[in-house]
């Protein structure tokens, strides 16, 4: 057993007893009520599932195991030599274990994932069989499904396994999957955009640095961006579409590959992760139509109004839970101020940030007029020459694996049951009132 697996078992398994006792003592306490509007409104007002890794406050933003993003900048002081951005191994450890890791814990995780990072040949063959024009997110989920042949959970279940032990093969799949995703994603990028010229992993690099390297971007600043990007996109509590679909599909004891592929199909929607692609298309469309690299605030305002008049959303703005500027937007803004303060696209993102909120507010129906994580991320990637925006959601997906896979380990350790909410017909609802 690897040392993290031992530590996870020691931490997570006693929690089952604790939760059973808690539920026995307080199981009938009412924690909320909901309305017909909540049912028609995508269940947004309903607290209905347990996710241990992070918790979202509508005003403050995300807290990972209790720590906000600014607090984590203080706490996660695990940098590669010469670096100053948090390394994603640290946030994964925090989400899985609920504790700030030591430098040794983080180094062990880097080594652990490097050891597990071998992608079976048939996964590349499956990708090679697809037309190069296949959207990178479709390639990504197909590759995840192709890797399902390796599922330790599926093999153990087939042989027969005690339900108390489900967490063990889940952990193995989770670690293997996370370790292999950067290689798979980089392969998709290089086959789609770089003439099939693939780059071998460098086992001396950390997980995110290696991802940047395999994509073909070796500047230290890009590796730093990857570390920040992979850290801040990793989790956003349990109810968002990618996290919830992973959890839901996992609750049928579908193995982690099947569950994660489901989550990624949800991330591929334009109201969720695909928004990062849409933001860049929207910004570029604006600059092209105005024939300028830096549209004025007046020009931006008009373009926003035109977008709304065409019955389209302004991508990168709004959120189902957040009601303030996303701290993940702010942290990317901080990175841009440090590394590329004069970049045209970045400055346009900042001008859009000044113009859009009052316009959305004036509509009187948008609950959150502020930018989310996707409003900024593409401009940073464009700066370093990673300009193929259709690939951006795959990068989000690689990062999102950290949170949803840590959660899946907990789901199985806590023996969370099959998820099956009750649905109702409109006719039945009408009869009730
Ligand atoms: N531009 C225009 N209209 C918007 C809007 C935006 N950015 N955000 C919300 N609205 C509209 C909705 O479409 C809805 O209009 P309708 O009543 O005519 O159907 C109305 O405002 C109320 O919506 P809401 O309750 O404020 O939002 P929601 O919880 O239903 O949806 C979200 C949230 C994110 C889907 C929505 O804000 C949106 O479409 N944003 C743009 C896409 C985007 O950036 N998505 C990424 C979110 C972050 C992520 O998951 N990665």
């Amino acid at each position: 057993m690897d040392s993290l697996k031992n530590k996870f078992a020691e931490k997570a398994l006693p929690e089952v007893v604790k939760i059973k006792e808690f539920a026995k003592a307080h199981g009938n306490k009412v924690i909320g009520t909901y309305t017909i509007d909540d049912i028609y409104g995508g269940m947004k007002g309903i607290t209905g599932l347990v996710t241990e890794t992070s918790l979202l406050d509508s005003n403050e933003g995300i807290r990972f195991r209790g720590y906000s993003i600014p607090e984590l900048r203080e706490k996660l002081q695990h940098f590669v030599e010469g670096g100053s951005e948090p390394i994603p191994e640290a946030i994964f450890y925090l989400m899985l274990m609920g504790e700030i890791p030591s430098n040794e814990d983080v180094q062990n995780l880097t080594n652990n994932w490097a050891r597990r990072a071998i992608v079976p040949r048939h996964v590349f063959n499956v990708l090679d069989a697809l037309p190069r024009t296949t959207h990178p997110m479709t390639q990504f989920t197909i590759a995840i499904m192709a890797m399902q042949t390796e599922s330790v959970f599926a093999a153990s279940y087939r042989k027969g396994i005690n339900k108390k032990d489900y967490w063990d093969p889940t952990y193995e799949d989770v670690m293997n999957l996370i370790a292999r995703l950067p290689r798979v994603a980089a392969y998709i990028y290089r086959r789609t955009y770089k003439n099939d010229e693939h780059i071998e992993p460098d086992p001396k690099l950390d997980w995110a640095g290696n991802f940047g390297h395999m994509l073909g971007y070796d500047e230290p600043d890009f590796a730093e961006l990857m570390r920040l990007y992979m850290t801040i996109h990793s989790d956003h509590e349990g109810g968002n579409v990618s996290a919830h679909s992973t959890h839901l599909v996992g609750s049928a004891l579908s193995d982690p590959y099947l569950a994660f592929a489901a989550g990624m199909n949800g991330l591929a929607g334009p109201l969720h992760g695909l928004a990062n692609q849409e933001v860049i298309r929207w910004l570029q469309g604006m600059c092209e139509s105005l024939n300028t690299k830096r549209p004025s605030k007046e020009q931006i305002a008009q373009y926003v109004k035109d977008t709304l008049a065409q019955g389209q959303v302004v991508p990168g703005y709004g959120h189902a839970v957040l009601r303030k500027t996303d701290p993940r937007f702010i942290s990317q803004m901080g990175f841009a101020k440090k590394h590329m303060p004069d970049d045209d696209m970045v400055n346009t993102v900042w001008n859009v940030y000044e113009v859009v909120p009052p316009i959305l507010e004036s509509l009187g129906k948008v609950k959150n007029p502020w930018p989310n994580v996707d409003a900024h991320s593409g401009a940073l990637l464009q700066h370093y020459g990673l300009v193929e925006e259709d690939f951006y959601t795959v990068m989000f997906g690689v990062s999102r694996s950290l949170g949803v896979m840590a959660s899946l380990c907990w789901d199985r350790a806590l023996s969370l049951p099959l998820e099956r909410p009750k649905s109702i017909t409109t006719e039945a609802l009408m009869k009730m009132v």
Side-chain angles (χ1 to χ4, degrees):
M1 237 199 226
D2 69 40
S3 63
L4 180 58
K5 191 169 167 185
N6 268 330
K7 280 191 196 172
F8 175 70
E10 279 165 23
K11 173 103 193 174
L13 301 182
E15 291 288 310
V16 178
V17 181
K18 210 166 108 187
I19 290 172
K20 268 198 185 134
E21 281 167 6
F22 172 65
K24 199 169 161 198
H26 304 286
N28 58 2
K29 181 176 165 54
V30 177
I31 59 151
T33 52
Y34 58 95
T35 63
I36 289 176
D37 275 348
D38 294 329
I39 298 174
Y40 279 108
M43 301 193 284
K44 292 192 196 84
I46 302 173
T47 301
L49 66 149
V50 173
T51 301
E52 308 289 359
T53 47
S54 66
L55 184 64
L56 185 57
D57 178 274
S58 57
N59 287 309
E60 187 195 44
I62 191 70
R63 277 184 180 265
F64 297 89
R65 292 285 190 175
Y67 299 108
S68 68
I69 288 185
E71 284 166 5
L72 283 181
R73 289 207 84 93
E74 304 293 318
K75 295 275 177 195
L76 295 183
Q77 298 278 323
H78 314 77
F79 308 126
V80 299
E81 220 181 307
S84 61
E85 295 299 337
I87 131 165
E89 283 86 334
I91 195 111
F92 176 78
Y93 189 100
L94 173 65
M95 288 190 289
L96 186 74
M97 297 299 299
E99 295 159 17
I100 301 288
S102 65
N103 283 329
E104 196 192 346
D105 293 328
V106 168
Q107 189 56 53
N108 286 342
L109 202 43
T110 301
N111 299 341
N112 191 332
W113 286 346
R115 273 200 308 278
R116 293 171 183 265
I118 298 152
V119 177
R121 182 69 243 170
H122 74 266
V123 177
F124 300 127
N125 293 342
V126 166
L127 287 171
D128 288 341
L130 295 170
R132 257 178 243 279
T133 48
T134 311
H135 192 280
M137 269 313 268
T138 309
Q139 297 190 48
F140 192 50
T141 45
I142 288 172
I144 295 161
M145 290 302 297
M147 285 196 282
Q148 193 266 346
T149 51
E150 312 307 294
S151 173
V152 182
F153 182 90
S156 308
Y157 196 87
R158 205 182 163 99
K159 265 198 247 149
I161 176 173
N162 189 312
K163 46 168 82 168
K164 288 197 180 77
D165 298 327
Y166 287 162
W167 69 272
D168 183 319
T170 299
Y171 173 92
E172 291 299 327
D173 280 352
V174 159
M175 296 292 274
N176 289 337
L177 183 56
I178 293 173
R180 292 167 191 171
L181 286 175
R183 183 85 211 274
V184 166
Y187 191 90
I188 292 168
Y189 180 70
R190 303 290 305 179
R191 82 173 287 265
T192 308
Y193 305 112
K194 301 289 171 186
N195 216 18
D196 260 326
E197 287 160 14
H198 296 290
I199 300 170
E200 288 297 309
D202 179 348
K204 293 190 297 300
L205 293 173
D206 56 297
W207 184 76
N210 205 12
F211 185 31
H213 162 71
M214 288 184 285
L215 288 170
Y217 298 86
D218 277 316
E219 303 112 281
D221 283 359
F222 186 81
E224 283 287 272
L225 174 60
M226 282 300 91
R227 292 179 191 113
L228 174 68
Y229 188 114
M230 293 294 136
T231 298
I232 62 176
H233 286 80
S234 59
D235 210 33
H236 221 220
E237 73 167 37
N240 66 75
V241 174
S242 52
H244 189 196
S245 350
T246 305
H247 166 79
L248 169 68
V249 172
S251 84
L253 297 185
S254 304
D255 64 60
Y257 294 87
L258 299 172
F260 185 60
M264 290 301 97
N265 280 316
L267 195 74
L271 295 189
H272 190 20
L274 203 79
N276 59 10
Q277 161 191 313
E278 294 302 299
V279 166
I280 288 299
R281 295 173 83 88
W282 184 81
L283 290 171
Q284 283 174 340
M286 171 167 66
C287 292
E288 272 162 30
S289 71
L290 296 165
N291 198 21
T292 172
K293 285 186 169 166
R294 285 213 195 190
S296 67
K297 288 182 192 162
E298 293 70 33
Q299 287 175 312
I300 294 171
Q302 190 52 54
Y303 196 79
V304 170
K305 286 174 190 161
D306 293 347
T307 301
L308 295 171
Q310 286 157 16
Q312 293 168 19
V313 294
V314 180
Y317 282 76
H319 200 273
V321 180
L322 276 174
R323 294 296 174 254
K324 287 272 164 65
T325 297
D326 193 332
R328 300 172 299 173
F329 178 91
I330 303 284
S331 78
Q332 294 180 88
M333 203 173 184
F335 186 92
K337 283 189 173 150
K338 181 170 167 195
H339 293 278
M340 58 197 81
D342 300 321
D343 183 280
D344 286 326
M345 179 78 89
V346 162
N347 278 270
T348 301
V349 165
W350 296 345
N351 284 336
V352 169
Y353 179 31
E354 286 185 36
V355 171
V356 166
I359 299 179
L360 289 183
E361 238 162 6
S362 73
L363 298 178
K365 64 171 183 177
V366 181
K367 295 197 191 70
N368 176 36
W370 302 104
N372 56 56
V373 68
D374 301 310
H376 210 312
S377 56
L380 300 174
L381 297 167
Q382 296 264 320
H383 176 82
Y384 292 107
L386 206 161
V387 294
E388 300 86 357
E389 74 274 1
D390 283 14
F391 185 70
Y392 292 173
T393 313
V394 175
M395 304 180 81
F396 192 156
V398 172
S399 168
R400 188 44 60 99
S401 71
L402 301 176
V404 301
M405 290 288 101
S407 275
L408 206 63
C409 287
W410 277 92
D411 291 354
R412 296 291 77 81
L414 298 179
S415 299
L416 295 187
L418 179 79
E419 188 174 283
R420 207 299 189 189
K422 177 85 187 81
S423 73
I424 194 162
T425 61
T426 296
E427 194 188 1
L429 270 180
M430 284 177 169
K431 276 191 193 145
M432 284 168 82
V433 297

